[in-house]
Amino acid sequence: MRHYGDVGVVAPEGRSLGGFRLCAESEARRPVSVRRMRPLGLGPGAARALLDVLDGFFGPGGPPPENDEQSYEELVAKLRKYWARADARCEDLRREPGTAEAFARPLHEQPAHLPESPAAGPGAAR
């Protein structure tokens, strides 16, 4: 929690008598969300910004009132940028195994082309 407090992901409400950081349950869940965002390439700053956008929709205050159309549209625009970024990263992640396998496949074929020697045999000491 200290790290997430230092980077601004959580805002502890205070400290216990023992010095432990105290925060609301919703704040305590934020680091879990940040860890789930890592594969999408979101660092702490971007993750915090996305959580702030999500809080704008689903947080304690809920979305901006209907008469504040500009604030609502700004939230939607920010969220759409994160959707696009997440979708693009997911597509990259789907391609990664194929790229890795295309690299690894020839490595498996190489031993068939190597000359056999006692030091290179299956029982050789390493």
Side-chain angles (χ1 to χ4, degrees):
M1 289 302 273
R2 179 178 61 191
H3 167 70
Y4 291 106
D6 292 346
V7 297
V9 171
V10 296
E13 296 173 345
R15 292 189 179 260
S16 70
L17 293 175
F20 293 99
R21 289 168 178 78
L22 300 173
C23 55
E25 185 178 336
S26 61
E27 288 286 312
R29 286 192 299 255
R30 288 172 71 96
V32 174
S33 296
V34 171
R35 283 192 298 271
R36 292 178 64 203
M37 292 178 199
R38 281 186 192 156
L40 298 177
L42 297 176
R48 181 183 62 241
L50 175 54
L51 288 172
D52 290 344
V53 170
L54 294 173
D55 284 347
F57 282 107
F58 308 111
E66 290 181 26
N67 61 356
D68 191 356
E69 189 173 322
Q70 181 179 354
S71 293
Y72 182 80
E73 289 302 321
E74 287 173 7
L75 278 176
V76 169
K78 289 177 183 179
L79 188 56
R80 284 188 176 137
K81 286 180 184 178
Y82 284 106
W83 281 341
R85 184 175 176 180
D87 288 347
R89 181 62 181 138
C90 286
E91 188 58 37
D92 290 344
L93 289 170
R94 284 185 202 101
R95 281 193 297 270
E96 258 181 43
T99 303
E101 289 170 358
F103 176 78
R105 196 173 303 114
L107 294 176
H108 290 282
E109 296 168 359
Q110 292 305 317
H113 302 292
L114 295 175
E116 282 294 319
S117 71
R126 295 178 190 228

